[in-house]
Amino acid sequence: MASPHPARAARTTGIALLMLGLTSTVALTGCGGSTDDDGKAGPKASASAAPKGAVTREQAAKIVDNYAAVNGKANKTQNAKLLATVEGGQVHEQSKADYKTFGTWTKADRSDYEKPFTYQDRTYYIPAGGDWFAVKATASGSKTPALLVFDKDGGAWKLTSAVYAEAPIPAIDTGDHGLATAVAPSTRVGALAPNEVSAAFEDLYETGGKKAGAGISHTTDPAKDALKLYKGRDTFDLAKWATKKYFAKDPAYGKTYALRLADGGVLAVVPTAHTQETLLKQQYMGSFEITPNKEESVYNPAKRALVTDTFQGMTLATLPKSGKPSVIAYEYRMTDSK
């Protein structure tokens, strides 16, 4: 998936009028050096034990190249099995959804998706002592940089997260050895820990940021988008007949990746998910049904009183040493509809 194809939000559902049979559309850094017999690190050993990452830059480059090549072949025929050899995590959940709904896309979107691509303008961030690495890069044909995360999944290197960011990606600390510093997802940085960002961001959809969402910035574009959906839950075009609500959900793959920034803060790639529930109002039960849109119909074409869409996503968040964290970019795909 990880070329810069736009996120596909849920389209408006329709309502079928049954009453008269009519239809209305509705790192941590620091490798341990060898020790002397007395258990103390020897000065010679310490001096030579430079920190290492899981891969070298040369190895990372080959992994990225291989991913792009295999992805291009898989996208050409929507071969999820082939793609699974180089892709995992939330990215693969989104790719499988892309493949499943491919037939509902416009001809132009399908043609664009099938084009092979490469990653350019790469900067590698390899955590000292870590077992994963990140790359900031731009896909060919795009001007939007992405932060890509590669991790061992089933013994093979796979892309597990990819978030394209219109906002600038802040400088990551690479230290004296040119290696990044991984931060444990549970480590509190200012107001929140990286693994608390998802609950805060999803609360923007669910309550308008009145609960956990009060702990993150509401001024970034992703936050404004989420709040716009929350505020529009009573004014969407089916509001006369149905209600719309959002509920936070555990992501399919829950691993968060975090790196120390040059200013001492943290940049985190955070998995996230929510459901969107469109429910007929009580007075219309038995007389109306909701007609799913084309994308929803791929998963369940039945007309029904309740349509529950699942969205799996990823966010890119900055956590400053003081002040509120900010979600600066996000990617969602509808991955199910019931």
Side-chain angles (χ1 to χ4, degrees):
M1 158 258 175
S3 51
H5 305 293
R8 302 177 181 277
R11 299 181 181 88
T12 305
T13 52
I15 288 184
L17 178 61
L18 301 182
M19 195 176 297
L20 298 175
L22 303 175
T23 300
S24 172
T25 45
V26 211
L28 288 161
T29 350
C31 294
S34 60
T35 58
D36 295 328
D37 291 341
D38 61 2
K40 297 179 180 178
K44 188 173 183 179
S46 296
S48 61
K52 294 182 179 180
V55 292
T56 64
R57 279 173 172 73
E58 291 75 17
Q59 291 169 331
K62 291 180 180 179
I63 291 168
V64 176
D65 288 342
N66 182 61
Y67 169 76
V70 175
N71 191 354
K73 292 178 182 178
N75 286 350
K76 186 69 176 177
T77 57
Q78 298 82 62
N79 188 335
K81 185 176 181 180
L82 174 61
L83 189 58
T85 63
V86 293
E87 191 176 272
Q90 290 291 88
V91 170
H92 196 53
E93 286 297 302
Q94 293 184 346
S95 292
K96 288 187 294 183
D98 286 346
Y99 288 1
K100 192 171 183 68
T101 60
F102 194 72
T104 70
W105 298 7
T106 66
K107 183 177 180 181
D109 282 346
R110 292 197 302 268
S111 176
D112 183 53
Y113 197 88
E114 291 173 342
K115 293 177 182 177
F117 66 94
T118 58
Y119 286 113
Q120 303 167 345
D121 304 320
R122 302 178 190 176
T123 303
Y124 295 94
Y125 302 109
I126 303 171
D131 56 1
W132 56 276
F133 68 93
V135 186
K136 183 172 73 172
T138 303
S140 53
S142 172
K143 296 181 180 180
T144 305
L147 191 69
L148 315 172
V149 177
F150 289 82
D151 198 347
K152 280 287 187 71
D153 186 343
W157 282 104
K158 297 181 181 181
L159 180 74
T160 55
S161 295
V163 186
Y164 288 82
E166 295 289 347
I169 297 175
I172 295 171
D173 181 20
T174 52
D176 296 334
H177 297 279
L179 296 176
T181 299
V183 177
S186 59
T187 302
R188 182 171 290 273
V189 184
L192 294 176
N195 63 6
E196 295 175 322
V197 170
S198 177
F201 186 61
E202 293 299 348
D203 185 61
L204 302 184
Y205 293 96
E206 190 167 349
T207 75
K210 297 178 181 67
K211 296 181 180 179
I216 63 172
S217 170
H218 291 191
T219 63
T220 64
D221 286 343
K224 290 178 181 177
D225 290 344
L227 290 170
K228 183 178 180 180
L229 284 179
Y230 172 78
K231 293 173 183 176
R233 73 198 186 287
D234 294 325
T235 58
F236 70 112
D237 59 355
L238 300 184
K240 177 180 177 180
W241 299 280
T243 60
K244 183 179 288 186
K245 295 182 179 180
Y246 300 87
F247 299 93
K249 179 181 176 64
D250 289 338
Y253 292 86
K255 188 170 182 179
T256 293
Y257 302 92
L259 293 169
R260 183 72 61 193
L261 291 172
D263 64 6
V266 166
L267 180 69
V269 182
V270 183
T272 193
H274 64 252
T275 58
Q276 172 188 284
E277 295 188 2
T278 306
L279 175 67
L280 280 178
K281 292 181 179 179
Q282 186 63 38
Q283 62 266 37
Y284 298 115
M285 291 286 185
S287 299
F288 292 82
E289 285 184 325
I290 299 172
T291 302
N293 62 38
K294 289 182 180 180
E295 192 173 1
E296 291 165 333
S297 294
V298 170
Y299 296 98
N300 182 0
K303 298 173 184 179
R304 49 203 189 268
L306 170 65
V307 175
T308 301
D309 300 330
T310 297
F311 292 85
Q312 294 289 341
M314 297 164 284
T315 67
L316 189 62
T318 56
L319 293 87
K321 291 186 294 183
S322 61
K324 293 183 178 181
S326 296
V327 173
I328 62 173
Y330 69 113
E331 299 270 352
Y332 280 104
R333 293 291 191 280
M334 181 197 294
T335 60
D336 195 14
S337 182
K338 296 180 180 178

